[in-house]
Amino acid sequence: MTGYIELKIGAIPQVGWFNRATGASFRLSALIILLCSLVFFGQAEIAGAETGKPVVSGARVAGDDSRTRFVLDMDRQVTPAISGLANPYRLIIDMPEVSFNLPERSGEAGRGLVADWRYGLFAVGKSRIVMDLTGPVLVDKTFFLPAVDDQPARLVIDLVRSTPDEFAGFVTASRTVRPRTEKQKAASKSDKLTAPKSRLKPLIVLDPGHGGIDNGATGVAGTLEKAIVLDFAMLLKERLDETGLYDVRLTREDDTFIPLGRRVEIGHELAADLFISIHADSVRRGQKYARGSTVYTLSDKASDQLAEDLAESENMSDVIAGVDLEVEALEVTDILLDLARRETRSFSAYFAKTLVNELKSSVRLINNPHRSAGFRVLKAPDVPSVLIELGYLSNKHDEKLLVSDEWRGRMAGAVTEAVNSFFRPRLARQQQAPSQ
């Protein structure tokens, strides 16, 4: 008995016949697989042609606990820079910016010496793969195989088990800072942000968390935190700009990774009057109950377990992206700096209270919505700073709200009103100044 079927691969309909008695549908399935492969690789080539960047179309890990091979399928050759980081053991593969055209969930499971791996844009013009290792390794071989017939080009990295001392030597050798060229020095200077020499408007820095190689949390339905918070930050900037009262800057305007220390520096360099970090995390404990917006300020001791867990998670952002963490400077005992820090924390707490009051009439809040913990991104001693959890992606109800235009509009409106209330006394004084 035969029948007629119509398939649709992408936007292209495919027609075939099958015979229930003979099982001819198996041959059709093979044809479907072939066609899907052609479509997939065709899309990869188109992506590369459109962006002009190399395309990574496949990745896999093979081997065991003594020797492991990592392979990337690519459309052209690139020259990687491979380095290591300890505490925890990680391998860093830096490349020119590429387009990652990989299946979802790629890297979540490793094999052999590789526990798992992640990938993404690390900086402008630079892509990165970070491997979490099961222990110390050495890079035995790295080579590139050119494309042959219908096989893509391949970047191959062979790892072998080593000792902690050998890995430490590899880290030192691979992370040695090379002298910068004059061109690099000039580019570095141009990246520095400076505050306007004279300004009448309060300057606000919005800090959408994560980005690039650091996806942040992933929702129950697959929503990425880094995308949600960037969209909201752009919307909030629009709302604040519409008032005409503020100069609003963003720490990132695209899917680029920004280290935590650099985020703090941006607020300091701009001499910001207010710094708002925006997140939408997942929680490990009490997933069913952690729901609603929360406002966090900096404190030496966490206000509760949830705050402590979230601060620990957020402070791992640099580790996730493969940043070489420097030892934090010792606490400065200068009395003037200490006074400035206390004043800053006082202003931060005042804005947090104002924000909670505005939010409670517009969106759902978690119990005890003003909490505190040691968030690294809030540690600028001279900039009032808060961290807003829009909601928790580990909660399916919050996730639905976070992707709702109507909810985000209400949230942005409430935050804008809180900012207006916070700066109202200053703006009033500025308006009265010319008449005095």
Side-chain angles (χ1 to χ4, degrees):
M1 182 176 179
T2 59
Y4 174 82
I5 60 174
E6 179 176 294
L7 306 173
K8 198 168 187 180
I9 304 175
I12 306 172
Q14 306 292 333
V15 177
W17 292 88
F18 68 97
N19 188 305
R20 291 191 177 92
T22 63
S25 60
F26 175 82
R27 290 192 294 274
L28 181 59
S29 297
L31 176 60
I32 293 170
I33 294 172
L34 174 61
L35 289 171
C36 288
S37 299
L38 291 174
V39 170
F40 176 79
F41 287 114
Q43 288 176 339
E45 291 177 1
I46 291 171
E50 288 178 347
T51 63
K53 295 178 289 191
V55 176
V56 178
S57 56
R60 53 199 172 277
V61 185
D64 53 31
D65 290 340
S66 60
R67 177 177 288 271
T68 302
R69 170 167 285 187
F70 182 72
V71 181
L72 290 179
D73 294 335
M74 306 190 69
D75 67 338
R76 74 191 83 164
Q77 183 169 349
V78 300
T79 302
I82 302 176
S83 57
L85 287 173
N87 302 316
Y89 291 116
R90 287 161 289 163
L91 193 73
I92 313 299
I93 305 170
D94 285 326
M95 301 176 287
E97 186 173 344
V98 302
S99 292
F100 288 101
N101 195 1
L102 299 175
E104 290 184 17
R105 310 185 77 86
S106 291
E108 291 186 3
R111 187 171 182 175
L113 299 169
V114 179
D116 53 51
W117 52 279
R118 51 197 168 274
Y119 57 91
L121 190 64
F122 178 70
V124 177
K126 183 178 181 179
S127 292
R128 170 170 287 189
I129 295 174
V130 178
M131 295 183 188
D132 292 323
L133 305 172
T134 59
V137 305
L138 286 180
V139 179
D140 183 43
K141 293 192 295 290
T142 302
F143 54 93
F144 204 93
L145 297 173
V148 178
D149 297 328
D150 59 342
Q151 298 298 316
R154 293 186 177 96
L155 173 63
V156 181
I157 300 172
D158 284 339
L159 308 177
V160 295
R161 180 169 291 283
S162 69
T163 66
D165 287 343
E166 287 176 325
F167 188 81
F170 166 63
V171 169
T172 300
S174 65
R175 304 297 290 187
T176 299
V177 178
R178 299 179 179 87
R180 294 190 301 171
T181 64
E182 292 302 319
K183 183 177 181 180
Q184 288 174 323
K185 291 178 181 178
S188 177
K189 289 180 181 178
S190 67
D191 287 341
K192 293 290 184 182
L193 296 172
T194 56
K197 292 182 179 179
S198 61
R199 67 188 191 210
L200 296 176
K201 298 179 179 180
L203 194 149
I204 301 169
V205 173
L206 304 181
D207 174 45
H210 310 284
I213 190 172
D214 177 18
N215 290 330
T218 301
V220 179
T223 304
L224 294 182
E225 180 183 5
K226 67 175 183 179
I228 284 293
V229 298
L230 178 59
D231 286 346
F232 181 79
M234 300 293 279
L235 173 61
L236 179 56
K237 183 180 186 307
E238 288 180 10
R239 293 294 181 88
L240 291 169
D241 285 341
E242 287 172 358
T243 68
L245 299 173
Y246 312 107
D247 182 1
V248 185
R249 312 289 184 89
L250 277 73
T251 55
R252 68 179 180 96
E253 298 181 350
D254 54 21
D255 186 20
T256 303
F257 173 78
I258 309 291
L260 293 174
R262 178 59 189 148
R263 295 172 187 269
V264 176
E265 287 176 359
I266 289 172
H268 175 71
E269 289 169 10
L270 290 173
D273 297 293
L274 183 63
F275 182 96
I276 303 176
S277 193
I278 303 168
H279 292 262
D281 276 292
S282 290
V283 295
R284 297 190 298 270
R285 313 179 209 189
Q287 292 184 3
K288 294 181 180 179
Y289 307 105
R291 184 185 177 194
S293 301
T294 317
V295 180
Y296 289 93
T297 49
L298 179 68
S299 67
D300 299 323
K301 183 178 180 180
S303 59
D304 55 84
Q305 189 62 54
L306 175 60
E308 183 176 343
D309 288 347
L310 284 175
E312 180 183 351
S313 175
E314 288 300 339
N315 292 345
M316 288 290 288
S317 180
D318 287 357
V319 173
I320 289 170
V323 174
D324 193 1
L325 300 179
E326 298 178 355
V327 178
E328 291 191 5
L330 296 175
E331 287 293 323
V332 180
T333 57
D334 182 273
I335 189 169
L336 293 178
L337 182 59
D338 185 56
L339 288 172
R341 185 183 290 112
R342 292 185 185 185
E343 184 180 42
T344 296
R345 290 194 181 187
S346 177
F347 280 121
S348 299
Y350 175 72
F351 176 69
K353 181 179 179 181
T354 303
L355 181 56
V356 167
N357 287 335
E358 287 293 343
L359 291 178
K360 67 184 180 183
S361 61
S362 301
V363 298
R364 174 171 179 156
L365 298 177
I366 198 171
N367 294 333
N368 304 318
H370 179 195
R371 305 186 181 205
S372 59
F375 293 91
R376 285 178 59 199
V377 77
L378 302 181
K379 288 191 173 182
D382 54 348
V383 181
S385 306
V386 301
L387 185 149
I388 302 176
E389 287 288 348
L390 300 177
Y392 296 90
L393 284 171
S394 46
N395 183 288
K396 64 180 181 180
H397 301 292
D398 269 7
E399 184 177 15
K400 289 180 180 178
L401 291 175
L402 289 169
V403 297
S404 163
D405 289 339
E406 188 272 336
W407 182 89
R408 288 190 288 186
R410 284 191 284 113
M411 184 73 178
V415 177
T416 299
E417 286 303 315
V419 171
N420 290 339
S421 297
F422 181 70
F423 286 112
R424 188 168 289 122
R426 170 176 166 174
L427 294 172
R429 287 194 302 271
Q430 288 178 343
Q431 292 175 352
Q432 295 171 0
S435 61
Q436 293 177 349

